[in-house]
Amino acid sequence: MSLFGLKFGKKKLKEEERQLQANNRDFNLQFEYANNSIKTSKYNFFTFLPLNLFEQFQRIANAYFLFLLILQLIPQISSLAWFTTVVPLVLVLAVSGVKDAIDDFNRHKSDKHVNNRPVQVLINGMLKEQKWMNVQVGDIIKLENNNFVTADLLLLSSSEPHSLTYIETAELDGETNLKVKQALTVTAELGEDLQKLTEFNGEIRCEAPNNKLDKFTGTLTLRGEKYALDNEKMLLRGCTIRNTEWCFGLVIYAGPDTKLMQNSGKTTFKRTSIDRLMNVLVLVIFAFLALMCLILAIGNGIWEHDKGYYFQVYLPWAEGVNSASYSGFLMFWSYVIILNTVVPISLYVSVEIIRLGNSFYIDWDRKMYYPANDTPAQARTTTLNEELGQIKYIFSDKTGTLTQNIMCFNKCSINGKSYGDVYDMSGQRIEINENTQKVDFSYNPLADPKFAFYDRSLVEAVKLNDVPTHRFFRLLSLCHTVMPEEKKEGNLVYQAQSPDEGALVTAARNFGFVFRARTPETITVVEMGETKVYKLLAILDFNNVRKRMSVIVRSPEGDLTLYCKGADTILYELLHPSCNSLKEETTEHLNEFAGEGLRTLVVAYKSLEEDYFQGWIRRHHEASTALEGREDKLSELYEEIEKDLMLLGATAIEDKLQDGVPQTIETLAKANIKIWVLTGDKQETAMNIGYSCNLLNDDMEEVFIVEGSTSDDVLNELRNARKKMKPDSFLDSDEINIKFEKSSKKQIIIPDEQANGVYGLVITGHSLAYALEGNLELELVRTACMCKVVICCRVTPLQKAQVVELVKKYKKAVTLAIGDGANDVSMIKTAHIGVGISGQEGMQAVLSSDFSFAQFRYLQRLLLVHGRWSYIRMCKFLKYFFYKNFAFTLVHFWYGFFSGFSAQTVYDEWFITLYNLVYTSLPVLGMSLFDQDVDDRWSMLFPQLYVPGQQNLYFNKVVFVKCMLQGIYSSLILFFIPYGAMYNTMRSDGKAIADYQSFALMAQTCLLIVVSVQIGLDTSYWTVVNQFFIWGSLSVYFAITFTMYSDGMYLIFTASFPFIGTARNTLSQPNVWLAIFLSIALCVLPVVGFRFLKAQLKPTPSDKVLLKIKEAKKRPPPPSPKRRLRRTSTRRSGYAFSHQHGFGALIMSGRNMRPKSPFATTGTFSPNSDKYKHKGL
């Protein structure tokens, strides 16, 4: 949330109670409640410059360079011109400032988009269109079908009977099934009468803003009467109105106070692990710099005392200097200025440019572009690229992220015969793809055109009037709680409580059994073109214990039948003994379906005797009106009648995964990345998807289910799981147990523990609440991190963030969270990297994310290609940058011992200014933007290459020390070889060459050529750009050198360019070039030798993979066949897992029924009418 939002949120959380009046802005304004505007931006036009500069100078390096600039303005200690620091500092601040301005401008745009959405607000008796941001607490607003809910509202009235309103809560809990909300009767009477709504002056007292999505308590006081308010009467921001023409609501919470925004978590400033490491290293370098300056200052004090004191006639002390010790003190600060280039300011400019460039690669990657909805990948944050190459844990949402949230009727088994597969002429099964011909349902004018089925034999069975097949589809068209909507004749839309039910009813519709309409007492079905009205006598409702539902209907012919569908484990216990042989055949089919990751469901029926049923329905009425034990009595009656069922068959529904999800998960697992699924869905649904996308499989030793209802239960379940996975973890000698005993309040990092097999863990939201408490969180993180896969179900948005925070707290690992809905925002903000999927659930997740794209499968390319490349490039850049600057700067240190510690620079001042900005900036940028050890195809084929990034092997403190030592060694060579070559040297014409300026030119030429050769050694992937930058930089150096040291420049700027003629005098001598060649050989050969021997004698796993790739490149592999992932899994019921208990009773009561559809009456519309006779069956 924004700084503004956070501030406001904290203020409002101190409220104990909220009080407001409808239609009374003056009354409500006194409480200073937040309005409905959302603010995620940081700056405005006036605050940008001061705030941004304040933020930038909080970086140690920027503050340090400002301090240096101040030192350079003091004449007594200034050893370099002021422009050597001002130019780079201004450049750095400008580059960072522009980038921050662009980021904040984008935040302003997204805020403006949301805040300017239109909504109808009731003002002075009229509906006026207002912007979302102008809506205030106490306003009454009108919402229409498919509108987003503007704020947290109390539902007042709606177009539906009894003021019911259907909503979709996908952005809150990830579920797309419809939920029902109902207004109070006293407000339902207001209807859409604007006069009555304007006069409504109810006073609300309710709880203060909080993040509990499933809880609301309050009271409405109207005309002296008090009415209780609960969550069933609330419409929360983030929901979408469905299947409801209009509704009116009273704003209770707005903007940052809404439950959605309270759950969205706080925005944290994300920094990469390399950033944090660089801060530590910069402090180490500062200490090293201070040590060098101290040594040189002490040296100056001693030299001035022993020698300089007696040479004051020739070398007078500066004005104000009256002792050797004071001279040493001034020299300390002079050397701080000279040696500051060990931490060059251009380091930070280059880092920003590299990150920006690698971000553009993500934006431009066509292989991450999704043409279906014209969505490219987008790097929304440009400072986290290299962190993508170090991910160890991925936290993923389920609905809309792993799945498309579309259910498809895929296969079925009827009377022992399996349908759904397609066979060729030789009887071989054909794999279904986009080219497979679909069944033609054009004979059925009421068929859903979007429904796809490929097995023609099932259509033939229906057309041949096969009795079991007809009975099977009749059951699917009658046994459900779906609501039909037919606004145009023949244009049927089903509103289903669970997507599974919608898929089954749609299947029946296409095969000729069209569910057309329902009333509380009847169900209208068009069977094979003939309209039939069944009397609905009872709905035996679904719940999580029964795992089945039944309906009892009377056919037009007077037959009484019970139709039942449910989980196979439950229904098999209720079957008549005569079904045993059919049960065996059906079981085989169920195992096949489950093996393909489909959600299975068994269907059965029973013919009822009239006398028995009349007695049963009387007892049912008594039980349903009982004041005590109602649920138990009804359950007993349901058990009694649902016996001796006749098996019809089974259905198999595919919860369609997004394309490539199983393959992506398999590839990421090979890269040693652990995947946790955090979903608001129910346990069975989450486990189903776990099996479907190969996260869970039957080859696992065990999948632990933690569902304890007390703290002790959860602790025991977690400990039992850990005991099975690693019994040794309970011994006192265990490394982690010892660490626990030693550590008191100090934060401990838990190392990775290896289990004795492959395990999975499933934990429910209720149990997770206990597990996240202080005394259990260590147990949870130890047990969960031993498992290959963790699935947390029924979790709230805040719990998602808490799980991510837990892993960040106890594991030294980089985390990534990926989701597509508003319920994922908090975990996206909490993780090191947040990825938003621009899917069906709005754009909330994308707006809060660091990276976004359209499909989960692009994640493997983001990590294994872009992330790995970015990490390797950044590590190479830092190694090279620190090396070249140590080599450059330490030459001054050695020179101090030969110049009386006088803070005399070795190089020309212009060379010092241009070294990092011009001469060495482009070659290292070229490597950091274009280098790749292997191309994208090999990166995806060998995910093991990703592992070194997780272990942070390419740049760490040890690697830094190696760079430092290499830099010190090179600086020794670069000082002493030119010094020795120049010492008492004569030119070929007999003139002396051993002057300071010639030595300076030779040393800087050696340095530049050595660092250019070094970058050539570090480059793995040569491009024209790399070649141009390296050769171009050397050419520019010689061009600038010859120009600056020319007679003309000296005549124009005498004081600024004193090195007149040095270049042509020195660089024309052969011995100078021989010395340069010797310097290069001594600097580079040890590096080449070390790298060669290391690769031969002690290769890393990465070296071994790269060797395999080199061998594979010699003989290009054949294109990999498109293989279907084999799934082995136990049967899993897919029935109504997101079904809302009690919906059957709502249907039977008639409270949710509209007036009867004019198209649903008997005989009014039939495929057998004259209009359709030529298309008859």
Side-chain angles (χ1 to χ4, degrees):
M1 233 162 90
S2 63
L3 299 171
F4 172 88
L6 277 171
K7 181 182 167 190
F8 224 117
K10 284 178 182 171
K11 180 180 175 184
K12 289 296 142 194
L13 281 172
K14 291 174 185 173
E15 281 182 57
E16 289 184 10
E17 185 180 63
R18 174 159 288 207
Q19 182 182 357
L20 60 108
Q21 278 185 9
N23 292 315
N24 191 344
R25 281 193 173 184
D26 294 335
F27 176 81
N28 299 327
L29 281 171
Q30 67 179 314
F31 299 105
E32 297 182 352
Y33 295 137
N35 66 14
N36 205 39
S37 68
I38 299 298
K39 182 174 181 287
T40 58
S41 54
K42 286 161 67 175
Y43 317 107
N44 61 35
F45 182 78
F46 299 104
T47 61
F48 173 74
L49 199 60
L51 267 181
N52 189 257
L53 286 175
F54 175 72
E55 282 178 3
Q56 292 209 53
F57 281 118
Q58 285 182 320
R59 289 173 92 165
I60 296 170
N62 287 349
Y64 165 68
F65 288 117
L66 185 65
F67 170 66
L68 270 183
L69 179 59
I70 294 164
L71 287 181
Q72 282 178 304
L73 297 175
I74 302 170
Q76 286 85 348
I77 59 172
S78 180
S79 47
L80 284 173
W82 60 272
F83 57 77
T84 56
T85 301
V86 167
V87 173
L89 181 61
V90 169
L91 189 65
V92 168
L93 296 175
V95 168
S96 297
V98 167
K99 194 174 73 61
D100 289 342
I102 291 168
D103 284 349
D104 207 56
F105 177 72
N106 289 333
R107 282 193 285 268
H108 271 288
K109 266 174 66 178
S110 65
D111 287 347
K112 192 175 177 183
H113 173 72
V114 173
N115 288 333
N116 286 343
R117 283 177 180 164
V119 65
Q120 296 180 72
V121 183
L122 186 64
I123 300 174
N124 299 327
M126 295 173 64
L127 284 172
K128 294 183 180 176
E129 193 168 281
Q130 295 276 311
K131 294 175 180 176
W132 273 29
M133 63 182 177
N134 296 329
V135 170
Q136 294 186 12
V137 170
D139 286 353
I140 291 177
I141 63 175
K142 181 183 182 181
L143 297 172
E144 294 176 343
N145 198 26
N146 298 327
N147 280 176
F148 289 115
V149 177
T150 311
D152 287 358
L153 311 175
L154 171 67
L155 178 62
L156 297 177
S157 62
S158 84
S159 56
E160 303 306 292
H162 304 279
S163 275
L164 294 173
T165 298
Y166 299 92
I167 57 166
E168 188 180 276
T169 57
E171 288 212 3
L172 292 175
D173 57 17
E175 293 184 5
T176 53
N177 55 297
L178 294 185
K179 293 185 171 64
V180 184
K181 300 287 182 178
Q182 186 173 12
L184 284 168
T185 311
V186 68
T187 62
E189 295 164 358
L190 301 172
E192 57 179 333
D193 186 328
L194 297 185
Q195 186 60 37
K196 285 184 181 176
L197 285 162
T198 306
E199 290 167 2
F200 176 70
N201 62 350
E203 186 170 316
I204 306 286
R205 284 181 181 271
C206 62
E207 61 195 15
N210 59 64
N211 55 35
K212 293 171 183 168
L213 292 171
D214 56 351
K215 180 177 166 287
F216 176 80
T217 52
T219 58
L220 164 67
T221 307
L222 184 65
R223 295 188 288 272
E225 291 286 323
K226 271 193 176 182
Y227 303 90
L229 302 177
D230 57 27
N231 204 45
E232 295 308 305
K233 297 166 184 64
M234 292 293 291
L235 304 178
L236 301 184
R237 181 175 179 139
C239 298
T240 309
I241 305 295
R242 298 284 190 224
N243 206 20
T244 307
E245 283 185 35
W246 54 262
C247 66
F248 283 89
L250 171 66
V251 178
I252 306 292
Y253 306 119
D257 290 345
T258 57
K259 290 185 184 283
L260 175 70
M261 298 308 291
Q262 292 278 317
N263 264 290
S264 66
K266 62 178 187 286
T267 300
T268 52
F269 177 58
K270 294 185 179 181
R271 304 176 68 185
T272 66
S273 53
I274 282 182
D275 263 340
R276 292 188 290 274
L277 177 61
M278 269 169 59
N279 267 353
V280 173
L281 296 182
V282 164
L283 290 172
V284 170
I285 293 169
F286 285 164
F288 181 64
L289 172 65
L291 179 66
M292 287 195 297
C293 293
L294 186 64
I295 291 167
L296 292 167
I298 292 167
N300 177 263
I302 294 168
W303 190 89
E304 290 290 0
H305 183 269
D306 292 349
K307 299 272 179 72
Y309 182 78
Y310 302 104
F311 279 88
Q312 288 192 49
V313 176
Y314 303 103
L315 291 171
W317 284 354
E319 190 180 336
V321 176
N322 49 24
S323 70
S325 56
Y326 185 56
S327 172
F329 172 75
L330 292 179
M331 281 304 154
F332 176 86
W333 297 108
S334 295
Y335 270 114
V336 166
I337 293 170
I338 287 177
L339 300 178
N340 80 78
T341 45
V342 280
V343 190
I345 195 162
S346 57
L347 170 69
Y348 291 93
V349 182
S350 304
V351 165
E352 296 297 336
I353 292 170
I354 291 163
R355 285 173 172 164
L356 191 64
N358 284 310
S359 299
F360 281 131
Y361 291 149
I362 294 170
D363 294 347
W364 296 336
D365 191 343
R366 289 188 178 184
K367 291 180 181 174
M368 291 168 70
Y369 169 72
Y370 189 56
N373 57 7
D374 187 29
T375 307
Q378 191 180 7
R380 297 175 52 81
T381 306
T382 56
T383 54
L384 302 171
N385 306 60
E386 68 270 14
E387 199 97 308
L388 288 169
Q390 299 179 273
I391 304 298
K392 188 70 187 285
Y393 289 89
I394 290 175
F395 299 92
S396 174
D397 176 41
K398 180 193 75 69
T399 311
T401 303
L402 299 176
T403 66
Q404 297 179 33
N405 212 29
I406 298 170
M407 302 291 176
C408 293
F409 181 83
N410 197 293
K411 293 181 180 179
C412 63
S413 168
I414 304 173
N415 200 29
K417 187 169 190 297
S418 176
Y419 297 97
D421 289 322
V422 182
Y423 299 89
D424 61 15
M425 300 296 286
S426 60
Q428 293 294 313
R429 191 169 129 187
I430 302 169
E431 189 170 330
I432 293 168
N433 56 39
E434 60 271 13
N435 299 320
T436 310
Q437 193 175 351
K438 297 176 186 175
V439 171
D440 181 13
F441 290 108
S442 60
Y443 67 84
N444 179 359
L446 290 173
D448 184 344
K450 295 192 287 291
F451 181 81
F453 200 76
Y454 301 91
D455 185 0
R456 286 180 181 72
S457 61
L458 185 53
V459 179
E460 296 304 318
V462 172
K463 287 183 177 179
L464 292 170
N465 294 324
D466 180 59
V467 174
T469 308
H470 276 217
R471 191 172 278 145
F472 177 87
F473 284 115
R474 185 176 296 117
L475 182 150
L476 296 187
S477 68
L478 293 169
C479 185
H480 56 77
T481 56
V482 172
M483 300 295 296
E485 191 175 10
E486 189 173 4
K487 290 187 176 172
K488 290 182 184 173
E489 188 173 334
N491 183 14
L492 270 171
V493 177
Y494 293 142
Q495 298 290 352
Q497 263 268 298
S498 75
D500 304 70
E501 286 218 306
L504 294 174
V505 177
T506 301
R509 167 184 174 179
N510 277 263
F511 284 102
F513 287 75
V514 185
F515 166 56
R516 195 68 184 277
R518 73 154 79 239
T519 69
E521 299 87 25
T522 64
I523 297 176
T524 304
V525 179
V526 179
E527 290 186 8
M528 305 305 288
E530 184 184 343
T531 302
K532 290 188 175 182
V533 179
Y534 290 82
K535 284 190 179 173
L536 178 60
L537 304 173
I539 294 180
L540 283 56
D541 208 358
F542 164 88
N543 68 32
N544 276 329
V545 178
R546 284 166 43 73
K547 294 193 176 175
R548 63 188 184 273
M549 82 161 281
S550 301
V551 294
I552 300 173
V553 296
R554 191 188 299 277
S555 70
E557 294 78 27
D559 299 328
L560 270 175
T561 313
L562 178 144
Y563 292 109
C564 182
K565 66 180 181 187
D568 53 281
T569 49
I570 303 291
L571 247 68
Y572 273 6
E573 301 297 317
L574 308 174
L575 295 178
H576 192 274
S578 63
C579 298
N580 283 344
S581 61
L582 178 56
K583 187 163 83 171
E584 286 176 18
E585 291 174 352
T586 307
T587 302
E588 279 183 35
H589 295 154
L590 282 169
N591 288 334
E592 283 176 28
F593 299 158
E596 294 175 36
L598 303 176
R599 295 160 66 141
T600 56
L601 184 69
V602 169
V603 295
Y605 76 101
K606 177 183 180 181
S607 296
L608 299 175
E609 296 291 330
E610 185 69 42
D611 294 343
Y612 168 73
F613 175 71
Q614 291 304 332
W616 182 89
I617 199 74
R618 189 179 63 254
R619 286 182 289 136
H620 177 268
H621 178 72
E622 289 168 5
S624 61
T625 53
L627 296 175
E628 290 182 7
R630 181 185 300 174
E631 291 294 326
D632 293 337
K633 288 176 182 175
L634 284 172
S635 187
E636 282 175 26
L637 280 168
Y638 292 169
E639 293 281 344
E640 178 193 316
I641 200 166
E642 289 172 329
K643 276 182 185 169
D644 296 331
L645 303 177
M646 302 303 292
L647 180 61
L648 270 174
T651 63
I653 290 175
E654 182 182 7
D655 185 354
K656 279 187 97 63
L657 294 171
Q658 286 198 9
D659 294 341
V661 165
Q663 293 85 345
T664 301
I665 285 170
E666 187 182 42
T667 305
L668 293 174
K670 285 180 185 170
N672 201 27
I673 296 172
K674 292 189 175 182
I675 298 179
W676 293 25
V677 176
L678 311 179
T679 176
D681 254 354
K682 296 193 178 177
Q683 181 183 317
E684 293 91 337
T685 319
M687 288 184 72
N688 263 325
I689 294 302
Y691 282 104
S692 299
C693 59
N694 266 18
L695 275 169
L696 301 174
N697 57 62
D698 286 348
D699 296 334
M700 286 182 162
E701 304 284 334
E702 191 172 342
V703 176
F704 303 110
I705 296 177
V706 178
E707 48 190 352
S709 53
T710 67
S711 188
D712 290 339
D713 289 348
V714 174
L715 179 62
N716 290 333
E717 287 174 345
L718 289 170
R719 283 195 169 158
N720 290 338
R722 181 154 65 90
K723 198 173 281 184
K724 280 189 183 175
M725 290 190 286
K726 191 182 179 187
D728 295 350
S729 66
F730 285 89
L731 299 176
D732 292 339
S733 58
D734 182 69
E735 176 194 353
I736 297 175
N737 293 336
I738 294 168
K739 200 178 271 191
F740 284 159
E741 284 173 21
K742 286 183 181 175
S743 67
S744 50
K745 290 184 180 177
K746 189 187 169 193
Q747 176 64 54
I748 60 164
I749 298 295
I750 300 175
D752 286 343
E753 298 179 88
Q754 291 300 318
N756 56 19
V758 179
Y759 294 90
L761 178 75
V762 178
I763 183 166
T764 63
H766 186 72
S767 303
L768 188 63
Y770 292 112
L772 288 169
E773 289 172 359
N775 55 337
L776 282 187
E777 62 176 19
L778 274 168
E779 193 62 51
L780 171 65
V781 82
R782 280 191 77 177
T783 305
C785 290
M786 272 194 228
C787 298
K788 186 185 175 191
V789 173
V790 178
I791 296 176
C792 303
C793 41
R794 273 286 175 235
V795 290
T796 65
L798 210 58
Q799 280 180 322
K800 290 185 178 187
Q802 287 171 331
V803 171
V804 177
E805 190 60 57
L806 184 70
V807 174
K808 280 174 68 179
K809 182 177 173 184
Y810 288 109
K811 303 295 280 187
K812 193 177 180 181
V814 181
T815 58
L816 178 146
I818 179 168
D820 71 323
N823 58 323
D824 305 312
V825 167
S826 51
M827 76 167 177
I828 283 172
K829 286 182 175 179
T830 305
H832 292 102
I833 301 278
V835 178
I837 288 187
S838 41
Q840 300 175 357
E841 295 185 23
M843 294 293 284
Q844 288 278 358
V846 171
L847 292 176
S848 305
S849 67
D850 305 306
F851 301 89
S852 69
F853 41 69
Q855 294 277 290
F856 182 83
R857 68 175 184 270
Y858 298 146
L859 184 61
Q860 62 179 328
R861 187 168 177 84
L862 182 73
L863 301 187
L864 303 184
V865 178
H866 292 287
R868 202 177 73 82
W869 282 351
S870 294
Y871 172 69
I872 290 172
R873 287 165 182 167
M874 185 58 75
C875 292
K876 278 190 172 185
F877 164 78
L878 291 172
K879 285 192 287 189
Y880 175 75
F881 212 95
F882 283 123
Y883 159 73
K884 80 180 176 71
N885 282 292
F886 272 108
F888 168 68
T889 306
L890 287 171
V891 173
H892 289 299
F893 181 76
W894 310 123
Y895 184 56
F897 290 90
F898 293 84
S899 63
F901 306 97
S902 59
Q904 168 69 47
T905 57
V906 176
Y907 317 115
D908 168 23
E909 282 189 352
W910 282 104
F911 180 80
I912 292 170
T913 305
L914 298 174
Y915 176 72
N916 278 312
L917 282 181
V918 177
Y919 300 147
T920 60
S921 60
L922 288 179
V924 72
L925 281 178
M927 179 185 73
S928 308
L929 290 173
F930 301 110
D931 204 48
Q932 42 184 271
D933 52 350
V934 293
D935 65 21
D936 56 340
R937 189 167 64 98
W938 294 108
S939 294
M940 302 277 272
L941 282 173
F942 288 91
Q944 305 92 316
L945 286 169
Y946 190 80
V947 176
Q950 294 172 332
Q951 298 167 351
N952 206 13
L953 295 181
Y954 291 147
F955 189 77
N956 50 46
K957 289 170 187 170
V958 175
V959 172
F960 170 72
V961 170
K962 286 180 184 173
C963 295
M964 198 169 161
L965 293 173
Q966 187 191 350
I968 292 169
Y969 166 75
S970 294
S971 69
L972 281 164
I973 299 294
L974 292 167
F975 175 75
F976 285 103
I977 295 293
Y979 179 79
M982 284 286 175
Y983 192 69
N984 287 337
T985 304
M986 306 291 284
R987 278 173 39 155
S988 53
D989 59 4
K991 293 179 182 175
I993 197 175
D995 61 277
Y996 158 71
Q997 292 187 344
S998 298
F999 166 71
L1001 178 67
M1002 186 176 173
Q1004 64 197 38
T1005 306
C1006 281
L1007 169 72
L1008 200 61
I1009 295 175
V1010 163
V1011 296
S1012 297
V1013 172
Q1014 181 66 42
I1015 202 162
L1017 288 176
D1018 289 346
T1019 302
S1020 305
Y1021 182 70
W1022 285 94
T1023 64
V1024 175
V1025 178
N1026 292 69
Q1027 297 272 9
F1028 176 73
F1029 281 170
I1030 292 172
W1031 295 110
S1033 293
L1034 286 170
S1035 306
V1036 165
Y1037 164 70
F1038 285 111
I1040 289 176
T1041 300
F1042 277 100
T1043 304
M1044 283 186 175
Y1045 299 172
S1046 65
D1047 301 353
M1049 290 299 282
Y1050 177 73
L1051 291 171
I1052 301 167
F1053 305 104
T1054 307
S1056 299
F1057 299 102
F1059 278 47
I1060 181 173
T1062 308
R1064 60 176 182 267
N1065 286 341
T1066 308
L1067 296 177
S1068 61
Q1069 300 304 306
N1071 60 336
V1072 170
W1073 285 104
L1074 283 169
I1076 290 171
F1077 179 75
L1078 179 61
S1079 301
I1080 296 166
L1082 287 172
C1083 285
V1084 171
L1085 284 177
V1087 177
V1088 174
F1090 174 76
R1091 289 183 184 180
F1092 174 76
L1093 290 172
K1094 186 171 177 291
Q1096 295 300 314
L1097 303 176
K1098 200 179 175 185
T1100 62
S1102 192
D1103 290 333
K1104 292 173 186 173
V1105 174
L1106 289 170
L1107 189 65
K1108 276 186 195 173
I1109 291 171
K1110 274 183 188 172
E1111 289 169 2
K1113 278 181 179 174
K1114 292 171 188 172
R1115 46 178 200 286
S1120 54
K1122 285 187 179 177
R1123 59 195 180 86
R1124 195 184 178 104
L1125 281 166
R1126 182 177 163 270
R1127 303 186 182 107
T1128 58
S1129 53
T1130 49
R1131 293 199 305 279
R1132 298 176 304 285
S1133 166
Y1135 175 55
F1137 290 130
S1138 42
H1139 207 292
Q1140 196 171 335
H1141 176 53
F1143 201 64
L1146 187 66
I1147 286 172
M1148 293 293 286
S1149 72
R1151 285 187 291 129
N1152 65 332
M1153 298 296 173
R1154 291 196 182 85
K1156 216 172 185 182
S1157 164
F1159 313 119
T1161 50
T1162 310
T1164 52
F1165 178 72
S1166 164
N1168 277 355
S1169 63
D1170 293 339
K1171 184 177 173 184
Y1172 292 104
K1173 267 184 179 166
H1174 65 286
K1175 291 183 181 176
L1177 293 170

